[in-house]
Amino acid sequence: MPLLDEDRPLLYSFRRCPFAMRVRFALHEKGVAFDIQEEKLDQFSDALKALHPESKVPLLVHRGMAIYESAIITEYIDEAFPSGPPLMPADPLLRAEVRLLTYDCNRNLKPSIDHLKYGTSRFAAEECAGASERIQKSLEAYESRLKEHDWLLESGFSLADIHLFPFLRQLWGIRPPPAWLNDFPLVGRWLERVSNRPAFALTMAKSLVE
Ligand SMILES: N[C@@H](CCC(=O)N[C@@H](CS)C(=O)NCC(=O)O)C(=O)O
């Protein structure tokens, strides 16, 4: 385990976990130096199990405090490291939009993508029914946002982009791809724009120490 300096955050992570990607992405966008403890999904370390009441990744330890839930961690990072570029807009209504987009992603988009991807090999047929339609409804909303600006919010790149990106990337990675993805070209181009950010390359880098 890396040496722990109180001011240097330690992230318990799993490289392919979309929730952990959110946190690594935010840390890299802010230019925060951090240590990383790469976990095995099927065998979490005793240290992580002792710190997280639900035994999940991601979890961030900073100044002696264990912080979990990806969207709580990313907001914390944004506030705790103000010298990096802000990832939350200043306007309270736009801040609420970030949180609503994140809430809908966690509650509806993510499970529907899982239902589409794994189908009845993992879920009951009733849960899978209508998954494509539910996803397309969310995509229509994102497509219409992206007609007006390059990022999901009018104020610029934000945690909304960071929070939704790992899940939409998964959707675009499904093989064979659903034909209806072609109906959302602006979301496709947004995915490319987010993927091309230097912080995303760092997010997916294989080295264990950041
Ligand atoms: N709501 C949590 C979800 C985290 C989550 O589900 N992580 C998965 C890996 S992608 C996990 O640790 N699963 C282990 C388990 O549920 O036992 C967050 O936003 O951080």
Side-chain angles (χ1 to χ4, degrees):
M1 190 161 119
L3 279 180
L4 188 57
D5 167 345
E6 279 267 296
D7 272 335
R8 187 175 163 103
L10 169 63
L11 177 68
Y12 291 79
S13 182
F14 173 66
R15 193 172 165 274
R16 286 186 291 117
C17 167
F19 298 101
M21 276 179 211
R22 286 174 166 177
V23 175
R24 299 199 306 275
F25 205 161
L27 285 162
H28 287 302
E29 285 285 348
K30 298 290 284 188
V32 176
F34 62 102
D35 289 315
I36 192 156
Q37 161 88 31
E38 184 68 13
E39 292 284 335
K40 293 194 178 88
L41 259 200
D42 54 353
Q43 203 188 350
F44 284 146
S45 65
D46 289 343
L48 173 61
K49 286 194 261 185
L51 290 168
H52 197 313
E54 296 165 9
S55 289
K56 287 184 178 175
V57 282
L59 178 137
L60 188 84
V61 178
H62 190 218
R63 297 187 178 149
M65 166 122 173
I67 307 164
Y68 51 91
E69 274 299 311
S70 54
I72 294 178
I73 306 174
T74 54
E75 279 207 41
Y76 171 75
I77 291 165
D78 195 39
E79 290 168 3
F81 299 95
S83 58
L87 297 177
M88 278 296 268
D91 179 338
L93 278 177
L94 291 173
R95 293 166 79 82
E97 264 188 68
V98 172
R99 294 175 184 134
L100 287 169
L101 282 164
T102 304
Y103 175 79
D104 182 67
C105 172
N106 294 348
R107 198 174 158 85
N108 301 312
L109 181 70
K110 191 259 188 249
S112 298
I113 293 173
D114 285 346
H115 294 147
L116 179 73
K117 201 167 149 189
Y118 301 110
T120 48
S121 69
R122 228 185 248 193
F123 301 101
E126 309 81 71
E127 287 181 283
C128 299
S132 295
E133 291 71 20
R134 288 194 295 277
I135 296 169
Q136 287 176 76
K137 200 160 168 249
S138 295
L139 292 176
E140 277 164 24
Y142 308 147
E143 188 78 5
S144 120
R145 283 175 177 274
L146 294 164
K147 277 188 190 126
E148 309 294 330
H149 26 80
D150 278 357
W151 309 109
L152 290 171
L153 290 193
E154 65 189 46
S155 51
F157 183 79
S158 73
L159 286 184
D161 301 290
I162 290 182
H163 289 168
L164 271 59
F165 173 75
F167 299 96
L168 290 166
R169 177 174 174 264
Q170 267 184 355
L171 176 62
W172 255 255
I174 291 178
R175 292 293 172 267
W180 42 260
L181 288 185
N182 292 325
D183 297 338
F184 305 99
L186 298 179
V187 180
R189 266 182 258 150
W190 167 84
L191 276 167
E192 268 176 40
R193 266 197 302 281
V194 181
S195 311
N196 287 335
R197 293 182 75 88
F200 181 63
L202 293 169
T203 296
M204 298 315 288
K206 286 213 166 118
S207 71
L208 290 185
V209 179
E210 307 292 300

